[in-house]
Amino acid sequence: MPRFAANLTMLFTEAPFLARFDAAARAGFRAVEFVSPYEHPAEEVARAARDAGVETVLFNLPPGDWAKGDRGMACDPSRTAELREGVERALAYAGALGCARLHLMAGIRPAGVPETALRESYLAALRLAGRALDARGIALLVEGINGRDMPGYYLQTSRQAFELMDAAGVPNLHYQYDVYHMQIMEGDLAATIERRIERIGHVQIADPPARNEPGTGEVSFPFLFRLLDRIGYRGWVGCEYRPRAGTLAGLSWMDPWR
């Protein structure tokens, strides 16, 4: 059976962030993930997870100023020092939370920077973050994000990601396969997952086209869940979707898989 983690950035938003850990546990989740914990002290986030009895399985390294349009900075050669600081900050939170996976956002392509410089910056960022995380026993994840929701994002497909992962040569680097983004950008979900399963460190789900819960759109999630079981995926499946009518009202899709 797939193991589901509640994404607290998108689910249980009826409650303040620190209260969502307990809400997820009460709804039957044993694990959580989220985009950013940095708005709260690490000790408070860790206490919320500990009191709720849930495992934190994933969050992002600091992405920069989200309100001003930042979506990471790994591809930007002018922000290496900021990236290095962000790695150290993320490691402090990961240590407090006991989290074994961190996602490095690639960033929006900065205007006027040649493609070769973007690539070199991104590979250098993977190596810098990979070394730092590996020393703590933490996996580094990268994710393709569709260009419709995030125009200009540097990493948009699994094909591009795996080519760059090969070039980086980072042993603790894995792919974060988001079904929603990859259905939009390239399709061929089942064949890609099966072919790449050894390098997929985390799976996330939402149903296109509206990014709602499974069963509301175009993807056959029962088929994909059975595939994950058949090919031996033992990682977490992050529920990173927007509930159509409240989190609890939209959780019935999980009933056959509990």
Side-chain angles (χ1 to χ4, degrees):
M1 286 289 192
R3 299 188 301 163
F4 297 108
N7 186 291
L8 300 186
T9 302
M10 290 195 169
L11 302 187
F12 302 102
T13 57
E14 301 87 350
F17 178 71
L18 293 178
R20 296 174 197 171
F21 292 83
D22 184 64
R26 290 177 180 274
F29 288 98
R30 295 186 294 110
V32 299
E33 62 176 40
F34 34 84
V35 171
S36 171
Y38 306 107
E39 298 77 16
H40 304 273
E43 297 77 11
E44 290 186 9
V45 183
R47 185 182 308 114
R50 187 170 57 250
D51 290 350
V54 293
E55 179 182 353
T56 299
V57 299
L58 173 75
F59 60 90
N60 292 355
L61 282 86
D65 191 334
W66 195 275
K68 292 184 178 179
D70 282 345
R71 297 296 184 268
M73 63 203 73
C75 73
D76 190 338
S78 71
R79 301 180 71 175
T80 302
E82 186 179 355
L83 174 72
R84 185 177 292 108
E85 293 173 359
V87 169
E88 293 305 313
R89 190 178 184 200
L91 285 172
Y93 276 78
L97 284 159
C99 183
R101 300 163 198 82
L102 293 175
H103 168 221
L104 176 65
M105 295 194 76
I108 305 297
R109 293 169 178 267
V113 179
E115 187 67 28
T116 53
L118 296 175
R119 176 184 172 88
E120 291 170 4
S121 175
Y122 187 68
L123 292 175
L126 293 180
R127 292 165 184 151
L128 184 158
R131 285 193 300 270
L133 270 60
D134 195 37
R136 307 282 187 90
I138 296 174
L140 176 65
L141 302 183
V142 296
E143 174 191 22
I145 297 178
N146 81 78
R148 184 177 72 195
D149 288 0
M150 204 171 284
Y153 194 72
Y154 178 70
L155 191 66
Q156 294 193 349
T157 68
S158 69
R159 291 186 295 273
Q160 179 193 9
F162 285 112
E163 188 276 324
L164 289 164
M165 290 166 66
D166 288 341
V170 176
N172 60 324
L173 179 59
H174 304 276
Y175 188 64
Q176 181 173 313
Y177 193 95
D178 189 303
V179 170
Y180 168 75
H181 293 305
M182 292 305 94
Q183 172 68 358
I184 292 171
M185 293 304 298
E186 58 189 23
D188 205 23
L189 302 176
T192 303
I193 291 171
E194 186 163 10
R195 185 172 67 253
R196 298 293 195 179
I197 190 61
E198 296 300 323
R199 303 181 72 183
I200 293 174
H202 192 69
V203 172
Q204 291 179 320
I205 58 171
D207 213 344
R211 203 173 187 174
N212 298 138
E213 52 264 58
T216 59
E218 65 196 45
V219 172
S220 175
F221 281 99
F223 176 88
L224 286 181
F225 294 155
R226 289 193 295 269
L227 171 72
L228 291 174
D229 281 346
R230 179 173 63 79
I231 63 179
Y233 177 70
R234 296 293 179 263
W236 291 96
V237 176
C239 301
E240 194 185 38
Y241 62 80
R242 301 185 186 98
R244 285 198 303 182
T247 303
L248 293 178
L251 285 179
S252 60
W253 67 268
M254 282 184 59
D255 293 342
W257 309 99
R258 290 184 186 272

